[in-house]
Amino acid sequence: MICLCLCMCVSESAVAREVETDSYKFDVGVSAGMSGYLGDANQSNVFKHPGFAAALTGRYLFADTRWALRAVLATASLSGSTSDLSGVVPVEAPIDFKSQIYDLGVRGEANFFPYGIGRTYQRLRRWTPYLAVGVGLTMASCEGKMYTAMSIPMAVGVKYKLKPRLNLAVEWCMTRTLGDHIDGEQLSDLFMIKSEFMKNCDWHSSLTLSITYEFGKRCVTCHRVD
């Protein structure tokens, strides 16, 4: 009888652990960190005038743990000055700018390894590097005006499972805006060269730390045969 009770306790403990490592369909979270800018007023060091970046994120987690679809609503402060440029600028006084940008976009995300805890039949790993690319809309508030352009975010990062439903990630994202006004109108034609859609475009970046929480349990059936 004692042995039976011990076996039942062990069995219940194993079931509890399996529940904790169930697969989930969604996660939501926040991120914060440092922003940077590349454009007419800064053409080399993306973090020369660092600002603050923050975002709200939501993911759809596919059953294949290597893939996710991610929505992002982000904001960042940018700044720069033509006094940093080593070349000749065709204006008498340096041009400084400060802007606040807002990004709304969707990205496809690919993990290098199957990501998760438990479910040994899937050979999950507790950490993984990942890549992400997507499309979005960037709005910039500068000099009292609003500017809007399509954007292409490209990111690389590393994520780690703190707990079965809690994730920590470090990410670096470079976003190409298909426009030349996130640094204002004064810098859109600095060298008297007409802007071109695919050539004279501004970039902004972010280096952030994020934390996310998973929910929406998915029913997973093991079909592995050893």
Side-chain angles (χ1 to χ4, degrees):
M1 181 63 70
I2 294 176
C3 292
L4 180 59
C5 290
L6 288 174
C7 290
M8 290 178 64
C9 289
V10 170
S11 177
E12 289 176 359
S13 177
V15 171
R17 285 196 299 271
E18 183 62 26
V19 169
E20 288 181 351
T21 56
D22 278 337
S23 176
Y24 295 89
K25 298 178 182 179
F26 309 100
D27 79 9
V28 293
V30 295
S31 64
M34 181 171 61
S35 63
Y37 151 84
L38 282 179
D40 296 290
N42 179 25
Q43 299 175 357
S44 58
N45 185 352
V46 69
F47 291 118
K48 193 163 190 176
H49 292 272
F52 176 74
L56 299 174
T57 66
R59 285 185 182 88
Y60 176 76
L61 307 171
F62 292 98
D64 183 340
T65 57
R66 289 180 182 266
W67 301 95
L69 189 64
R70 180 181 175 192
V72 180
L73 176 60
T75 184
S77 57
L78 306 179
S79 62
S81 174
T82 58
S83 62
D84 298 330
L85 299 178
S86 59
V88 177
V89 179
V91 292
E92 295 182 359
I95 298 175
D96 302 326
F97 86 92
K98 290 184 178 181
S99 68
Q100 189 72 29
I101 62 168
Y102 307 91
D103 268 340
L104 178 63
V106 62
R107 308 172 189 179
E109 194 170 278
N111 299 323
F112 282 39
F113 310 130
Y115 179 63
I117 294 179
R119 303 195 306 283
T120 55
Y121 62 90
Q122 288 185 304
R123 296 186 174 91
L124 301 181
R125 296 198 184 187
R126 195 164 185 168
W127 70 278
T128 181
Y130 67 91
L131 298 174
V133 65
V135 294
L137 184 69
T138 295
M139 293 172 286
S141 175
C142 186
E143 302 166 352
K145 297 180 180 180
M146 289 293 295
Y147 306 95
T148 304
M150 297 296 294
S151 58
I152 304 173
M154 295 162 279
V156 59
V158 177
K159 62 180 72 169
Y160 175 77
K161 268 200 175 297
L162 293 172
K163 292 184 178 181
R165 299 172 69 173
L166 200 62
N167 308 279
L168 193 68
V170 176
E171 180 181 280
W172 181 41
C173 180
M174 287 292 296
T175 301
R176 180 184 177 94
T177 58
L178 303 181
D180 192 29
H181 289 95
I182 69 171
D183 48 13
E185 287 187 345
Q186 293 185 79
L187 292 167
S188 64
D189 196 16
L190 185 61
F191 294 95
M192 313 305 175
I193 300 173
K194 186 177 180 180
S195 298
E196 294 187 24
F197 177 70
M198 291 302 295
K199 291 184 178 181
N200 194 12
C201 297
D202 295 324
W203 294 74
H204 63 87
S205 67
S206 62
L207 179 62
T208 57
L209 177 69
S210 68
I211 188 166
T212 62
Y213 179 78
E214 297 178 9
F215 64 98
K217 188 166 65 174
R218 173 186 283 113
C219 179
V220 178
T221 302
C222 176
H223 299 288
R224 179 178 175 82
V225 178
D226 291 320

